[in-house]
Structures are given as C-alpha cells and as structure tokens.
C-alpha cells in the first residue's frame, strides 16, 4: 500500500516536513521527513487508519491532519 501526500506552505513550500502513522500497525509517529510518500508492504488483513501531518521548519505541526 502506498500513500502519497503534500502540504501547503505558501512562503516556503520546500521547508515542510511530514510525520505519519499507520494506526493498527504502528504505535508511534514517524520521525519528521521531507518524503511525500509512505509505503507499506505485506500488511496482514486488518483495519488500518493512515494519518499524516505537515510541519514547518520550526517543527510546528498542523492540527489538521489527513486521514485515510
């Protein structure tokens, strides 16, 4: 399963970092990364929720997150 995402930052779009979690598989959010995709392979059958947040260069993460 592959998730692709992007955030909006009008002043400096290349400064965004992302953190994500696949609930039902992971217990902790990923470290901040400039990657705009997350790939999971060989997932066992289950109910999962993928969540991702965009963060600024000051590590201020958005309260709004995308959820799939």
């Amino acid at each position: 399963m592959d998730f692709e995402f992007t955030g909006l930052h009008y002043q400096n779009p290349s400064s965004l970092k992302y953190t994500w979690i696949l609930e039902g598989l992971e217990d902790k959010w990923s470290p901040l990364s400039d990657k705009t995709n997350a790939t999971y392979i060989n997932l066992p059958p289950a109910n999962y929720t993928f969540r991702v947040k965009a963060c600024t260069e000051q590590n201020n993460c958005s309260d709004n997150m995308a959820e799939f």
Side-chain angles (χ1 to χ4, degrees), residues 3-66:
F3 297 96
E4 293 185 23
F5 42 85
T6 189
L8 298 175
H9 188 302
Y10 296 111
Q11 294 174 339
N12 191 359
S14 64
S15 70
L16 285 178
K17 303 283 186 202
Y18 302 93
T19 182
W20 57 85
I21 188 169
L22 185 61
E23 293 178 347
L25 180 69
E26 300 168 322
D27 294 329
K28 296 181 181 179
W29 288 81
S30 70
L32 287 176
S33 172
D34 57 357
K35 288 179 48 177
T36 57
N37 71 314
T39 301
Y40 296 90
I41 56 174
N42 298 324
L43 290 173
N47 291 324
Y48 300 103
T49 302
F50 180 78
R51 298 178 194 270
V52 61
K53 296 183 203 179
C55 306
T56 66
E57 61 273 5
Q58 292 86 17
N59 296 337
N60 295 325
C61 295
S62 172
D63 290 334
N64 298 325
M65 68 180 86

